[in-house]
Amino acid sequence: MNGRRKSGAASTALKYFLLSAVFLLFAGPLAWMLSTMMKTKAETYKAPPSLLPESLNVDAFHRLFAIQPLMWKWIQNSFSISILVAAGAVISSSIVAYGFSRFQTKYRDRLFPIVLVTLMIPPSIMMIPSYVLFVKLGWIDTWLPLIVPAWLGGAYYIFLFRQFFLTIPQELDEATYLDGGNRWTVYARVVMPLSKPIIITTVIFAFVNSWLDFLGPFLYIKNSELFTLSVGLQLLIGQTSQDFPALAAGAFISIIPIGLLYFFAQRYIVEGVVLTGSKG
């Protein structure tokens, strides 16, 4: 009996040790960034380095916006693009998924696997054809290459919506038809209002992917006033590579929206992802 207790205690201790190690692995860089942005420039060059700053100050933020006056513009650009991308992902993908989940056609079960196959195509393969297409359309140095594709549906979001829609009883559709509604009525007044978890999940995923996107804005945008925050911060590294507190302050600004989104909507994310796998 004592042997079992010791074995159980050792197993529990090992689990806590591994959890602590993983926590430090992920939380360590974040803690170091928060500490660095509150330090003075002189403190960041001290050896050995200290985790805690000698005194808390926000001078790094003042220097950040003084060094790069376009910071506010880049933040606004990132919000504008990400919000439009999230809206496009929800509207276009939900409409396509509604067709796959509700329309009874002989081609439905053949087309849906083709949509899923597109998930296997590496983005790097599409980079050059996409760039050539946008050049011919005259979209280079505009936000259109970053926004328009989101309004044409995304395979992953279509899959999420389709799986979630399958969990909604079709008896509700029939009741709507009896009340004089049509397919659009079912979509707008029945299916979508009941799909709040997956809508919020898609909004967060699409917003975060757009917010963190560096390659797209870097390829298609040349005017610095149209830059997003991710590209602007990369430019900032070249301007103030020795001011580590200012760089840390910029990185902190870039993760604030993501942290707030996940903090306030984590329940909907879990619910949405769990329900998408509950029915095939």
Side-chain angles (χ1 to χ4, degrees), residues 50-97:
S50 60
L51 177 61
L52 298 177
E54 296 178 358
S55 60
L56 300 180
N57 67 82
V58 293
D59 292 342
F61 290 91
H62 295 298
R63 293 197 305 274
L64 175 65
F65 286 91
I67 294 169
Q68 186 46 259
L70 291 176
M71 276 295 296
W72 281 118
K73 183 68 174 176
W74 294 341
I75 294 172
Q76 293 172 8
N77 293 346
S78 292
F79 269 112
S80 299
I81 294 172
S82 299
I83 290 172
L84 290 173
V85 166
V90 169
I91 294 173
S92 61
S93 299
S94 63
I95 291 175
V96 176

Side-chain angles (χ1 to χ4, degrees), residues 20-39 50-51 244 247-249 251-252 254-255:
S20 300
V22 173
F23 173 78
L24 291 175
L25 179 64
F26 287 95
L30 177 62
W32 190 260
M33 180 194 70
L34 296 175
S35 172
T36 301
M37 74 180 189
M38 305 301 289
K39 293 179 179 179
S50 60
L51 177 61
F244 296 113
L247 295 176
F252 176 73
S254 69
I255 66 173

